[in-house]
Amino acid sequence: EVQLVESGGGLVQPGGSLRLSCAASGFTFSSYEMNWVRQAPGKGLEWVSYISSSGSTIYYADSVKGRFTISRDNAKNSLYLQMNSLRAEDTAVYYCARGDYGEDAFDIWGQGTMVTVSS
Amino acid sequence: DIQMTQSPSSLSASVGDRVTITCRASQGIRNDLGWYQQKPGKAPKRLIYAASSLQSGVPSRFSGSGSGTEFTLTISSLQPEDFATYYCLQHNSYPPTFGQGTKLEIK
């Protein structure tokens, strides 16, 4: 079964850091681009970051640029999001999502992990 | 950035009704658009890809159409399990952008 499972969310103080992980199974992870998407409580979906299959190309939303770092370990079938200098407005459920082109574009999503930034 | 304007933002309908949701892109995106269904506390689920292709396992009452800047999602006969929030997503260029969402409620 094709599956993505996020972990690493939790409660963190403003200015703090957190590292999210996304474990992939059931498909050849190294062949797919990956994304992080977030959803603030009661709000819509917001794309956060993209990484190519090799890790050589990376994009960020302006709202997280300079604070968040996306990475992947194809040997471990894992995607990561290092989040630094966290703000209250980063509070959201964070989803990893597979693909970015054609039939594979954002086709599979994880269940999400909640990040709460609060003192 | 490409802006996706989705309408309506909310919709009340009855079981058996036909409903249509629209997304308009601020510039042409070919057919690089997907439609997603999200239920409370759950991840989004893709229904339609490439604007009009039905995701495997999704009931045929869901259909998508459009190309360029105007896109529609149609549910031909609403079922109780269809009451949810729907989003469009353009992935023609970075950053990918979502519509604001349409909350479909039971009348």
Side-chain angles (χ1 to χ4, degrees), chain A residues 72-103:
Chain A
R72 65 190 296 161
D73 185 336
N74 287 341
K76 295 183 177 179
N77 293 331
S78 292
L79 174 73
Y80 306 101
L81 187 68
Q82 177 68 42
M83 303 186 296
N84 298 332
S85 302
L86 282 161
R87 306 166 180 167
E89 53 265 36
D90 296 319
T91 295
V93 176
Y94 285 74
Y95 298 100
C96 56
R98 187 180 80 167
D100 83 321
Y101 182 78
E103 184 175 356

Side-chain angles (χ1 to χ4, degrees), chain A residues 1-6 22-30 32 34 72-74 76-79 96 98 107-111:
Chain A
E1 180 191 4
V2 175
Q3 195 172 10
L4 297 170
V5 178
E6 300 94 337
C22 169
S25 60
F27 65 98
T28 304
F29 179 71
S30 60
Y32 287 85
M34 296 295 295
R72 65 190 296 161
D73 185 336
N74 287 341
K76 295 183 177 179
N77 293 331
S78 292
L79 174 73
C96 56
R98 187 180 80 167
D107 61 342
I108 304 295
W109 296 56
Q111 86 289 351

